[in-house]
Amino acid sequence: MAIVTIDGQEIEIEDGARLNGIEAARRAGVEIPHYCWHGGLSVVASCRMCLVESGRRDLQTGQVSMLPKLVPACQTPATPDSVFITNSEKVRAARAMVEEDLLIRHPIDCPICDKAGECSLQDYHFEHGQKERRADLKPFTSRRRSLGDTVTLFVDRCVMCTRCVRFCREVAGTSELMVTDRGAHEEIDVFPGFPLANKLSGNVVDICPVGALGDKDFLYQQRVWFMKGHSHVCAGCSTGCSIRIEENQGQIYRLKPRENPHVNQWWMCDEGRYGWKYVHAGERLTAPNAEGKVLEWPAIIDKLQTDLPKAGRLAVALSPFQTVEEAYLLAKFIRQIDPQALIGVGPIPHSGDDESYPSGFTIRAEKCPNRRGIEKLAGALQGELLSWDTLVKRCHPEDEHSAQGLWIAGGYPAPAPWGTDPWITESLAALPLLVVQETFPSPLGERATFQLPATTFPEREGSFINYGDRIQSFTWAIRPPSGVHADGQLYWRLLQQPGLYQARPVLSELAEFFVYFSAASGPIPDVGLDLKINQLAASGPELAGIASAHTPHPTA
Amino acid sequence: MSTEFEPVLLAHVGQPESHTLGYFEQHGGYQSLKRILSDVSPEELVEQVKASALRGRGGAGFPAGLKWTFLDKKSRPIYFCLNADESEPGTFNNRILMEEDPHQVLEGLILSCYATQASTAYFYMRYEYPRAWDRVQRAVDECYAAGYLGPNILGSGYSLDVFLHRGAAAYICGEETGLIESIEGKRAWPRIKPPFPAVEGIFRKPTVVNNVETVACVKHIADRGVEWYRSIGVPPDPNNPRDIGSFGPKLYCLSGHVERPGCYEAPMGITVRELIDQFGGGVWKGRRAKAAIPGGISMGLLREDEFDCPLDFNGPGRYGCLGLGTAAVVVMDETVSIVDFLHNSCQFFAHESCGQCTPCREGTSWALKMLQRIKAGRGRLFDLDLLLEIGDSIGIMPGTTICGLADGAAWPIKNAIRKFRDEFEQYIRQTNPNGYAETSPVPAFDLHAIHGTISSST
């Protein structure tokens, strides 16, 4: 255990934690301003905003000896006995100098800059800058150029922290961005004919500490202070990146990655980042109908409750876009009507191969967030895993145990995957009772007994379990469009539960009944929880290194 | 200075064919190499260089032998970089050595590589030296043909390859880690230290970077011995236990307003005045000197009444300068305007700042903008305070930059304004009688005429 002193406050740092001055100070609740340093990138120590006084405390005498020069906190490791001073006059003067320097050639066009409100240059200026401008005023220019399909560079706003350049080299491994020219003429640029075109390009906008890199998709759409951010999980692939959905009055404007060392570090891919547009698409199914007639929800719910018990053998296809809580409620409802009902999973969308980047970040080929969760749930309820193909076969009239009623839970972003295969459409449409919940109308849905509008991921509440058994919980970020009942609320009502659907009690129920979910009985942290830990523990101390480490050996 | 001083570095400069192997061997060249490769171990050679207290001639004056001992012994290969990116304004001693006596440099280089057990040496030469390039390349070819370079040199079992690498005319490539990045094919942005090049240098391997004149001195230490070397120059300051003295012969580049500018060899510790009078033939046209740069423009400025400053590693520092630097003395006579001098200096550093660290990138360009405005008759007395503030706050001395370029930019500003403040104030009052006392920012509209159009202003 190392003791590090920050502004006179002693903090303990566990062994093996390789922290720099900025990270150590953060643990002490002290913010050291910085531009070029980023936890996910190499250290260049060039912006010089994080200059602090540093020194060492002699363990025997308690004597502190400080270095005469200022040092960049980002480049200075917090080792045992390190001493940092971040609030001295000398440090303040250095920060004021860097802040003044960065504003000499900056256009100070905050009123028309997208970054205003979340800009480090702006925030630090108020906190650390000079009171008055002393340099000559700069003639205003607003030079900008496109770096690629996703990003625009506002040349004059740049502070040359080179985070974006390092990101392209180190994280994406594509090296499109570079620095051209020298000294005060320096600019970020791409080589002619080689635009910024990697699948992680949107991240450079997030890591830009100022308004130099603008996201073309978000540019001039919304002032940042009007938006509310909601912690959520990306539904684009089975990586399940931790994200923040930023919306204003139910309209989403952008998605941003949320730091999660276990899943996505600081990043997300462009596919996920810009892949939310279907949520607000006008073609979305927004009215429930039964046998082709649009009905009000109370009527639909009544009709479902009367028709389903009459259908005979039931089956349900849980959707990999549903949260485990929603899927569980649906399965529970169906099993309440028919205790022998078949519980399987809907189609799992795939596209291409997994794409891994030098940083370890991976875009997965499995384009749904919760296959793992619903498969574990369906498998546990059914005793075996019924895949979509098996389920379709078991619903075919030729099957001896054929089901007569099928509920397909949807929520797929693009046209639903069952819409393409005529054999599936024909055999399923022939069922005496078919309930299809879908986001966009499909040929199968049009022929279903009940066609119900489904929810999209920002409207869902509950938990996704990613490819690696990490469960992440979230609440809804926006309400579904008018006419759409959120999946959870619909099942809640079908189960005749009082009040509003809440995911947490449902998850507790899951944790109580199913070994796989047992770790989720307690609170789920922001970064999620690895369900494997409890699985190992449940399988006995021999398999779980973690369990035996804490349990004294019987022979000892 | 002592009369018995015998020049060694320049001994053959000016002789016909002095750059050829034949001439060099006739005058005792490569004898030390033969002797040392057969009789002296690398460790012994390092000890000799350490004992001689040879200090780097590139500018910082770091003890060369000590630098060699920092090499990471466990990691192989070791690279040797010869820094011939001589770009400090006023400096041309490496050029003389490379053009007129390249084999002297190569023998020193091979000895230094042997001492450090480097297997590859990169000879990083600045772009603007085509003649030196041709002659060094020819000398390297001659050495390969004669067996002084290549595998198993002179049957000793020691192998060395030398590659010439030509810079692309950037001042920052002379900074050792900038040079390393440049050799790796990258933008010459100096690296953060630690790790130092001796631990992680070129291609993340242990690397030594030494100046051309430094390795030439190694040859003469090998030829004539440590005692000879230590008999020349200035002994350590007894009041400073960390001073190891300034020994050996030194090449001084004398230019500016003197009768006979040139590169002269003298013992360490010669004063500026002695240099001007004994070698330079006095100030040009019999005028009075006003100031001199002690060792390349980045070292600052000496007033005429400070010309007794000894040019050793400690001397200029006692007169408020940054150090000895490259020992390039530029003399300015009484007709020179210090405002012009500072403008020129600021222009150079604003142009050459690599742009990595904020204080240097913005500080140098801000200083230049102010000097341009002062020269355009819109100066304010307040600008002098701002300039001094920039000068005092940029560089590795206060810890605000990665490399020393900003210190080099700061010292001319600090020295010129502190030593010639009256002249600056007078200039500003005369050229801007109505606005010299202003302190508020100058409006952008007024600056177009001074800095030109937006994109072309420096």
Side-chain angles (χ1 to χ4, degrees), chain A residues 44 46-48 69 75 97 105 133-137 159-160 179 181-183 186, chain B residues 187 189 193 351 353-355 357-358 361-362 373 389 396 399-401 441-442 447:
Chain A
V44 290
S46 66
C47 75
R48 313 309 274 191
K69 300 176 186 185
Q75 189 201 335
M97 170 191 69
R105 294 180 301 119
R133 187 182 176 90
R134 301 185 300 169
D136 298 350
L137 293 173
V159 295
M160 293 308 303
V179 178
D181 292 329
R182 193 170 63 197
E186 267 175 357
Chain B
R187 200 181 163 79
W189 272 5
K193 287 141 259 183
H351 184 67
S353 168
C354 83
C357 307
T358 309
R361 177 182 70 231
E362 305 298 338
R373 186 161 48 65
E389 194 180 315
I396 34 179
T400 58
T401 58
V442 180
L447 299 170

mmCIF file of all heavy atoms in Angstrom, chain A residues 44 46-48 69 75 97 105 133-137 159-160 179 181-183 186, chain B residues 187 189 193 351 353-355 357-358 361-362 373 389 396 399-401 441-442 447:
data_model
loop_
_atom_site.group_PDB
_atom_site.id
_atom_site.type_symbol
_atom_site.label_atom_id
_atom_site.label_comp_id
_atom_site.label_asym_id
_atom_site.label_seq_id
_atom_site.Cartn_x
_atom_site.Cartn_y
_atom_site.Cartn_z
ATOM 1 N N VAL A 44 1.867 12.251 -23.720
ATOM 2 C CA VAL A 44 2.791 13.117 -24.456
ATOM 3 C C VAL A 44 3.227 14.327 -23.639
ATOM 4 O O VAL A 44 4.243 14.949 -23.938
ATOM 5 C CB VAL A 44 2.196 13.594 -25.795
ATOM 6 C CG1 VAL A 44 2.101 12.458 -26.777
ATOM 7 C CG2 VAL A 44 0.849 14.254 -25.607
ATOM 8 N N SER A 46 2.329 17.366 -23.476
ATOM 9 C CA SER A 46 2.651 18.536 -24.288
ATOM 10 C C SER A 46 1.764 19.747 -24.020
ATOM 11 O O SER A 46 2.175 20.861 -24.291
ATOM 12 C CB SER A 46 2.593 18.173 -25.773
ATOM 13 O OG SER A 46 1.283 17.862 -26.148
ATOM 14 N N CYS A 47 0.577 19.564 -23.478
ATOM 15 C CA CYS A 47 -0.273 20.746 -23.301
ATOM 16 C C CYS A 47 0.196 21.575 -22.119
ATOM 17 O O CYS A 47 -0.026 22.763 -22.073
ATOM 18 C CB CYS A 47 -1.735 20.353 -23.134
ATOM 19 S SG CYS A 47 -2.145 19.655 -21.521
ATOM 20 N N ARG A 48 0.827 20.935 -21.164
ATOM 21 C CA ARG A 48 1.418 21.570 -19.979
ATOM 22 C C ARG A 48 0.382 22.185 -19.052
ATOM 23 O O ARG A 48 0.703 23.042 -18.232
ATOM 24 C CB ARG A 48 2.469 22.632 -20.345
ATOM 25 C CG ARG A 48 3.460 22.189 -21.377
ATOM 26 C CD ARG A 48 4.115 20.877 -21.071
ATOM 27 N NE ARG A 48 5.284 20.930 -20.215
ATOM 28 C CZ ARG A 48 6.106 19.907 -20.019
ATOM 29 N NH1 ARG A 48 5.880 18.760 -20.617
ATOM 30 N NH2 ARG A 48 7.138 19.999 -19.210
ATOM 31 N N LYS A 69 11.559 22.530 -10.222
ATOM 32 C CA LYS A 69 10.765 22.842 -11.412
ATOM 33 C C LYS A 69 9.355 22.300 -11.262
ATOM 34 O O LYS A 69 9.108 21.372 -10.512
ATOM 35 C CB LYS A 69 11.332 22.130 -12.640
ATOM 36 C CG LYS A 69 12.712 22.442 -13.015
ATOM 37 C CD LYS A 69 13.068 21.540 -14.182
ATOM 38 C CE LYS A 69 14.523 21.696 -14.554
ATOM 39 N NZ LYS A 69 14.871 20.935 -15.735
ATOM 40 N N GLN A 75 2.746 12.931 -16.473
ATOM 41 C CA GLN A 75 3.960 12.190 -16.768
ATOM 42 C C GLN A 75 4.648 11.725 -15.487
ATOM 43 O O GLN A 75 5.621 10.986 -15.529
ATOM 44 C CB GLN A 75 4.891 13.126 -17.569
ATOM 45 C CG GLN A 75 6.123 12.489 -18.170
ATOM 46 C CD GLN A 75 7.179 13.543 -18.462
ATOM 47 O OE1 GLN A 75 6.872 14.700 -18.659
ATOM 48 N NE2 GLN A 75 8.431 13.139 -18.496
ATOM 49 N N MET A 97 -0.941 30.826 -17.389
ATOM 50 C CA MET A 97 -0.134 31.058 -18.578
ATOM 51 C C MET A 97 -0.600 30.168 -19.731
ATOM 52 O O MET A 97 -0.814 30.628 -20.849
ATOM 53 C CB MET A 97 1.334 30.770 -18.275
ATOM 54 C CG MET A 97 2.190 30.755 -19.521
ATOM 55 S SD MET A 97 3.850 30.123 -19.232
ATOM 56 C CE MET A 97 3.524 28.408 -18.903
ATOM 57 N N ARG A 105 -4.748 32.552 -30.019
ATOM 58 C CA ARG A 105 -5.171 32.388 -31.409
ATOM 59 C C ARG A 105 -6.533 31.703 -31.535
ATOM 60 O O ARG A 105 -6.947 31.331 -32.615
ATOM 61 C CB ARG A 105 -4.104 31.604 -32.182
ATOM 62 C CG ARG A 105 -2.796 32.368 -32.317
ATOM 63 C CD ARG A 105 -1.769 31.563 -33.086
ATOM 64 N NE ARG A 105 -1.483 30.293 -32.431
ATOM 65 C CZ ARG A 105 -1.697 29.103 -32.988
ATOM 66 N NH1 ARG A 105 -2.185 29.017 -34.180
ATOM 67 N NH2 ARG A 105 -1.411 28.001 -32.325
ATOM 68 N N ARG A 133 -7.803 39.847 -20.995
ATOM 69 C CA ARG A 133 -6.983 39.498 -22.144
ATOM 70 C C ARG A 133 -5.846 40.501 -22.244
ATOM 71 O O ARG A 133 -6.041 41.709 -22.116
ATOM 72 C CB ARG A 133 -7.803 39.540 -23.422
ATOM 73 C CG ARG A 133 -7.031 39.023 -24.627
ATOM 74 C CD ARG A 133 -7.842 39.110 -25.908
ATOM 75 N NE ARG A 133 -7.018 38.697 -27.030
ATOM 76 C CZ ARG A 133 -6.928 37.453 -27.476
ATOM 77 N NH1 ARG A 133 -7.622 36.502 -26.905
ATOM 78 N NH2 ARG A 133 -6.152 37.153 -28.499
ATOM 79 N N ARG A 134 -4.637 39.972 -22.436
ATOM 80 C CA ARG A 134 -3.484 40.866 -22.570
ATOM 81 C C ARG A 134 -2.893 40.811 -23.968
ATOM 82 O O ARG A 134 -2.216 41.717 -24.396
ATOM 83 C CB ARG A 134 -2.427 40.493 -21.543
ATOM 84 C CG ARG A 134 -2.959 40.580 -20.109
ATOM 85 C CD ARG A 134 -1.873 40.337 -19.111
ATOM 86 N NE ARG A 134 -1.283 39.018 -19.272
ATOM 87 C CZ ARG A 134 -0.166 38.631 -18.649
ATOM 88 N NH1 ARG A 134 0.468 39.460 -17.853
ATOM 89 N NH2 ARG A 134 0.310 37.414 -18.828
ATOM 90 N N ALA A 135 -3.129 39.709 -24.672
ATOM 91 C CA ALA A 135 -2.582 39.600 -26.023
ATOM 92 C C ALA A 135 -3.428 40.427 -26.980
ATOM 93 O O ALA A 135 -4.589 40.732 -26.709
ATOM 94 C CB ALA A 135 -2.575 38.151 -26.464
ATOM 95 N N ASP A 136 -2.822 40.760 -28.111
ATOM 96 C CA ASP A 136 -3.563 41.476 -29.149
ATOM 97 C C ASP A 136 -4.765 40.640 -29.562
ATOM 98 O O ASP A 136 -4.719 39.419 -29.540
ATOM 99 C CB ASP A 136 -2.681 41.700 -30.379
ATOM 100 C CG ASP A 136 -1.470 42.568 -30.048
ATOM 101 O OD1 ASP A 136 -1.439 43.121 -28.937
ATOM 102 O OD2 ASP A 136 -0.580 42.663 -30.903
ATOM 103 N N LEU A 137 -5.812 41.319 -29.975
ATOM 104 C CA LEU A 137 -6.987 40.572 -30.419
ATOM 105 C C LEU A 137 -6.689 39.927 -31.761
ATOM 106 O O LEU A 137 -5.951 40.450 -32.573
ATOM 107 C CB LEU A 137 -8.192 41.514 -30.533
ATOM 108 C CG LEU A 137 -8.656 42.048 -29.184
ATOM 109 C CD1 LEU A 137 -9.728 43.098 -29.379
ATOM 110 C CD2 LEU A 137 -9.176 40.923 -28.308
ATOM 111 N N VAL A 159 -6.455 23.098 -29.937
ATOM 112 C CA VAL A 159 -5.386 23.428 -28.992
ATOM 113 C C VAL A 159 -4.192 22.480 -29.152
ATOM 114 O O VAL A 159 -3.299 22.450 -28.328
ATOM 115 C CB VAL A 159 -5.872 23.407 -27.524
ATOM 116 C CG1 VAL A 159 -6.891 24.500 -27.295
ATOM 117 C CG2 VAL A 159 -6.422 22.047 -27.146
ATOM 118 N N MET A 160 -4.183 21.675 -30.202
ATOM 119 C CA MET A 160 -3.075 20.778 -30.523
ATOM 120 C C MET A 160 -2.729 19.824 -29.376
ATOM 121 O O MET A 160 -1.575 19.600 -29.070
ATOM 122 C CB MET A 160 -1.825 21.575 -30.909
ATOM 123 C CG MET A 160 -1.948 22.340 -32.194
ATOM 124 S SD MET A 160 -2.514 21.381 -33.607
ATOM 125 C CE MET A 160 -1.308 20.113 -33.678
ATOM 126 N N VAL A 179 -0.461 15.627 -37.802
ATOM 127 C CA VAL A 179 -0.214 17.046 -37.601
ATOM 128 C C VAL A 179 0.566 17.543 -38.810
ATOM 129 O O VAL A 179 1.544 16.921 -39.213
ATOM 130 C CB VAL A 179 0.610 17.277 -36.322
ATOM 131 C CG1 VAL A 179 0.922 18.741 -36.139
ATOM 132 C CG2 VAL A 179 -0.130 16.735 -35.121
ATOM 133 N N ASP A 181 2.498 20.999 -40.715
ATOM 134 C CA ASP A 181 3.172 22.262 -40.424
ATOM 135 C C ASP A 181 3.784 22.260 -39.025
ATOM 136 O O ASP A 181 3.816 21.235 -38.356
ATOM 137 C CB ASP A 181 2.227 23.448 -40.615
ATOM 138 C CG ASP A 181 1.869 23.614 -42.097
ATOM 139 O OD1 ASP A 181 2.717 23.271 -42.926
ATOM 140 O OD2 ASP A 181 0.766 24.082 -42.381
ATOM 141 N N ARG A 182 4.242 23.414 -38.603
ATOM 142 C CA ARG A 182 5.064 23.448 -37.399
ATOM 143 C C ARG A 182 4.722 24.681 -36.578
ATOM 144 O O ARG A 182 4.166 25.645 -37.101
ATOM 145 C CB ARG A 182 6.529 23.491 -37.840
ATOM 146 C CG ARG A 182 7.519 23.215 -36.752
ATOM 147 C CD ARG A 182 8.901 23.038 -37.326
ATOM 148 N NE ARG A 182 9.380 24.240 -37.972
ATOM 149 C CZ ARG A 182 10.396 24.267 -38.827
ATOM 150 N NH1 ARG A 182 11.024 23.170 -39.141
ATOM 151 N NH2 ARG A 182 10.775 25.399 -39.368
ATOM 152 N N GLY A 183 5.064 24.614 -35.303
ATOM 153 C CA GLY A 183 4.897 25.774 -34.429
ATOM 154 C C GLY A 183 3.449 26.244 -34.411
ATOM 155 O O GLY A 183 2.517 25.454 -34.389
ATOM 156 N N GLU A 186 0.749 24.871 -36.893
ATOM 157 C CA GLU A 186 0.336 23.477 -36.858
ATOM 158 C C GLU A 186 -1.162 23.295 -37.024
ATOM 159 O O GLU A 186 -1.948 24.066 -36.481
ATOM 160 C CB GLU A 186 0.676 22.892 -35.492
ATOM 161 C CG GLU A 186 1.984 22.229 -35.445
ATOM 162 C CD GLU A 186 2.281 21.797 -34.029
ATOM 163 O OE1 GLU A 186 1.488 22.066 -33.118
ATOM 164 O OE2 GLU A 186 3.308 21.182 -33.854
ATOM 165 N N ARG B 187 7.843 12.687 -37.112
ATOM 166 C CA ARG B 187 7.916 14.112 -36.897
ATOM 167 C C ARG B 187 8.870 14.371 -35.736
ATOM 168 O O ARG B 187 8.793 13.710 -34.703
ATOM 169 C CB ARG B 187 6.510 14.538 -36.485
ATOM 170 C CG ARG B 187 6.182 15.949 -36.649
ATOM 171 C CD ARG B 187 4.757 16.152 -36.165
ATOM 172 N NE ARG B 187 4.557 17.556 -35.946
ATOM 173 C CZ ARG B 187 4.325 18.412 -36.920
ATOM 174 N NH1 ARG B 187 4.178 18.001 -38.124
ATOM 175 N NH2 ARG B 187 4.218 19.689 -36.673
ATOM 176 N N TRP B 189 9.366 15.585 -32.947
ATOM 177 C CA TRP B 189 8.866 16.125 -31.684
ATOM 178 C C TRP B 189 9.686 15.512 -30.562
ATOM 179 O O TRP B 189 9.639 14.289 -30.373
ATOM 180 C CB TRP B 189 7.386 15.791 -31.517
ATOM 181 C CG TRP B 189 6.479 16.795 -32.118
ATOM 182 C CD1 TRP B 189 6.841 17.893 -32.854
ATOM 183 C CD2 TRP B 189 5.045 16.817 -32.045
ATOM 184 N NE1 TRP B 189 5.735 18.587 -33.239
ATOM 185 C CE2 TRP B 189 4.622 17.959 -32.761
ATOM 186 C CE3 TRP B 189 4.095 16.008 -31.457
ATOM 187 C CZ2 TRP B 189 3.273 18.293 -32.895
ATOM 188 C CZ3 TRP B 189 2.762 16.337 -31.591
ATOM 189 C CH2 TRP B 189 2.356 17.472 -32.288
ATOM 190 N N LYS B 193 11.114 12.830 -21.173
ATOM 191 C CA LYS B 193 12.123 12.060 -20.458
ATOM 192 C C LYS B 193 11.757 12.041 -18.983
ATOM 193 O O LYS B 193 11.312 13.073 -18.498
ATOM 194 C CB LYS B 193 13.500 12.717 -20.637
ATOM 195 C CG LYS B 193 14.083 12.536 -22.021
ATOM 196 C CD LYS B 193 14.804 13.780 -22.506
ATOM 197 C CE LYS B 193 13.920 14.534 -23.456
ATOM 198 N NZ LYS B 193 14.440 15.706 -24.064
ATOM 199 N N HIS B 351 9.618 30.401 -35.802
ATOM 200 C CA HIS B 351 9.626 29.573 -37.002
ATOM 201 C C HIS B 351 10.038 28.140 -36.679
ATOM 202 O O HIS B 351 9.545 27.193 -37.280
ATOM 203 C CB HIS B 351 10.592 30.173 -38.022
ATOM 204 C CG HIS B 351 10.616 29.448 -39.328
ATOM 205 N ND1 HIS B 351 9.537 29.432 -40.178
ATOM 206 C CD2 HIS B 351 11.576 28.714 -39.935
ATOM 207 C CE1 HIS B 351 9.832 28.714 -41.249
ATOM 208 N NE2 HIS B 351 11.061 28.260 -41.126
ATOM 209 N N SER B 353 10.037 26.584 -33.534
ATOM 210 C CA SER B 353 9.358 25.858 -32.461
ATOM 211 C C SER B 353 8.597 24.686 -33.079
ATOM 212 O O SER B 353 7.886 24.848 -34.055
ATOM 213 C CB SER B 353 8.373 26.789 -31.750
ATOM 214 O OG SER B 353 7.528 26.024 -30.909
ATOM 215 N N CYS B 354 8.764 23.511 -32.480
ATOM 216 C CA CYS B 354 8.144 22.327 -33.095
ATOM 217 C C CYS B 354 6.646 22.337 -32.889
ATOM 218 O O CYS B 354 5.918 21.655 -33.577
ATOM 219 C CB CYS B 354 8.760 21.046 -32.549
ATOM 220 S SG CYS B 354 8.076 20.505 -30.977
ATOM 221 N N GLY B 355 6.184 23.110 -31.914
ATOM 222 C CA GLY B 355 4.741 23.244 -31.736
ATOM 223 C C GLY B 355 4.123 22.222 -30.822
ATOM 224 O O GLY B 355 2.905 22.117 -30.742
ATOM 225 N N CYS B 357 4.693 21.707 -27.227
ATOM 226 C CA CYS B 357 4.269 22.248 -25.926
ATOM 227 C C CYS B 357 3.625 23.618 -26.105
ATOM 228 O O CYS B 357 4.156 24.489 -26.781
ATOM 229 C CB CYS B 357 5.463 22.392 -24.994
ATOM 230 S SG CYS B 357 6.418 20.906 -24.818
ATOM 231 N N THR B 358 2.521 23.791 -25.430
ATOM 232 C CA THR B 358 1.782 25.043 -25.537
ATOM 233 C C THR B 358 2.628 26.284 -25.223
ATOM 234 O O THR B 358 2.632 27.232 -26.006
ATOM 235 C CB THR B 358 0.563 24.994 -24.601
ATOM 236 O OG1 THR B 358 -0.144 23.793 -24.862
ATOM 237 C CG2 THR B 358 -0.331 26.182 -24.811
ATOM 238 N N ARG B 361 5.084 26.947 -28.183
ATOM 239 C CA ARG B 361 4.395 27.213 -29.455
ATOM 240 C C ARG B 361 3.748 28.594 -29.432
ATOM 241 O O ARG B 361 3.927 29.396 -30.345
ATOM 242 C CB ARG B 361 3.336 26.134 -29.686
ATOM 243 C CG ARG B 361 2.508 26.334 -30.946
ATOM 244 C CD ARG B 361 1.444 25.259 -31.073
ATOM 245 N NE ARG B 361 0.402 25.405 -30.073
ATOM 246 C CZ ARG B 361 -0.024 24.442 -29.270
ATOM 247 N NH1 ARG B 361 0.508 23.250 -29.337
ATOM 248 N NH2 ARG B 361 -0.976 24.657 -28.390
ATOM 249 N N GLU B 362 3.003 28.870 -28.361
ATOM 250 C CA GLU B 362 2.270 30.130 -28.309
ATOM 251 C C GLU B 362 3.143 31.272 -27.839
ATOM 252 O O GLU B 362 2.999 32.397 -28.303
ATOM 253 C CB GLU B 362 1.049 29.982 -27.402
ATOM 254 C CG GLU B 362 0.115 28.845 -27.785
ATOM 255 C CD GLU B 362 -0.492 28.996 -29.171
ATOM 256 O OE1 GLU B 362 -0.550 30.141 -29.676
ATOM 257 O OE2 GLU B 362 -0.897 27.977 -29.755
ATOM 258 N N ARG B 373 4.908 44.216 -34.102
ATOM 259 C CA ARG B 373 4.107 45.418 -33.856
ATOM 260 C C ARG B 373 4.983 46.559 -33.379
ATOM 261 O O ARG B 373 4.815 47.707 -33.807
ATOM 262 C CB ARG B 373 2.993 45.094 -32.847
ATOM 263 C CG ARG B 373 2.018 46.214 -32.627
ATOM 264 C CD ARG B 373 0.709 45.751 -32.021
ATOM 265 N NE ARG B 373 0.830 44.873 -30.871
ATOM 266 C CZ ARG B 373 1.357 45.218 -29.687
ATOM 267 N NH1 ARG B 373 1.800 46.438 -29.508
ATOM 268 N NH2 ARG B 373 1.429 44.330 -28.711
ATOM 269 N N GLU B 389 7.750 38.442 -19.227
ATOM 270 C CA GLU B 389 6.965 37.379 -18.593
ATOM 271 C C GLU B 389 7.026 36.103 -19.427
ATOM 272 O O GLU B 389 7.189 35.009 -18.886
ATOM 273 C CB GLU B 389 5.519 37.851 -18.424
ATOM 274 C CG GLU B 389 4.751 36.956 -17.485
ATOM 275 C CD GLU B 389 3.313 37.396 -17.311
ATOM 276 O OE1 GLU B 389 3.064 38.596 -17.131
ATOM 277 O OE2 GLU B 389 2.433 36.510 -17.359
ATOM 278 N N ILE B 396 12.579 24.566 -20.196
ATOM 279 C CA ILE B 396 12.700 23.494 -19.206
ATOM 280 C C ILE B 396 13.222 24.006 -17.876
ATOM 281 O O ILE B 396 13.131 23.325 -16.867
ATOM 282 C CB ILE B 396 13.593 22.300 -19.651
ATOM 283 C CG1 ILE B 396 14.746 22.732 -20.505
ATOM 284 C CG2 ILE B 396 12.790 21.225 -20.315
ATOM 285 C CD1 ILE B 396 15.638 21.579 -20.915
ATOM 286 N N GLY B 399 10.328 24.441 -16.170
ATOM 287 C CA GLY B 399 9.627 23.155 -16.257
ATOM 288 C C GLY B 399 8.384 23.187 -17.118
ATOM 289 O O GLY B 399 7.558 22.296 -17.031
ATOM 290 N N THR B 400 8.250 24.203 -17.959
ATOM 291 C CA THR B 400 6.998 24.304 -18.706
ATOM 292 C C THR B 400 7.074 23.719 -20.113
ATOM 293 O O THR B 400 6.091 23.775 -20.840
ATOM 294 C CB THR B 400 6.518 25.770 -18.807
ATOM 295 O OG1 THR B 400 7.544 26.530 -19.446
ATOM 296 C CG2 THR B 400 6.242 26.343 -17.439
ATOM 297 N N THR B 401 8.227 23.209 -20.517
ATOM 298 C CA THR B 401 8.294 22.578 -21.841
ATOM 299 C C THR B 401 9.070 21.266 -21.753
ATOM 300 O O THR B 401 9.714 20.966 -20.756
ATOM 301 C CB THR B 401 8.990 23.477 -22.889
ATOM 302 O OG1 THR B 401 10.302 23.777 -22.434
ATOM 303 C CG2 THR B 401 8.225 24.752 -23.129
ATOM 304 N N PRO B 441 -5.651 45.378 -24.916
ATOM 305 C CA PRO B 441 -5.309 44.623 -26.130
ATOM 306 C C PRO B 441 -5.467 45.467 -27.385
ATOM 307 O O PRO B 441 -6.370 46.301 -27.480
ATOM 308 C CB PRO B 441 -6.322 43.477 -26.130
ATOM 309 C CG PRO B 441 -6.797 43.355 -24.747
ATOM 310 C CD PRO B 441 -6.714 44.711 -24.148
ATOM 311 N N VAL B 442 -4.572 45.259 -28.328
ATOM 312 C CA VAL B 442 -4.652 46.002 -29.585
ATOM 313 C C VAL B 442 -5.764 45.392 -30.430
ATOM 314 O O VAL B 442 -5.817 44.181 -30.611
ATOM 315 C CB VAL B 442 -3.313 45.927 -30.346
ATOM 316 C CG1 VAL B 442 -3.400 46.690 -31.655
ATOM 317 C CG2 VAL B 442 -2.194 46.478 -29.473
ATOM 318 N N LEU B 447 -4.354 45.353 -36.761
ATOM 319 C CA LEU B 447 -3.215 44.460 -36.931
ATOM 320 C C LEU B 447 -3.033 44.000 -38.367
ATOM 321 O O LEU B 447 -1.982 43.496 -38.725
ATOM 322 C CB LEU B 447 -3.376 43.239 -36.021
ATOM 323 C CG LEU B 447 -3.427 43.573 -34.538
ATOM 324 C CD1 LEU B 447 -3.838 42.352 -33.743
ATOM 325 C CD2 LEU B 447 -2.073 44.061 -34.061
#
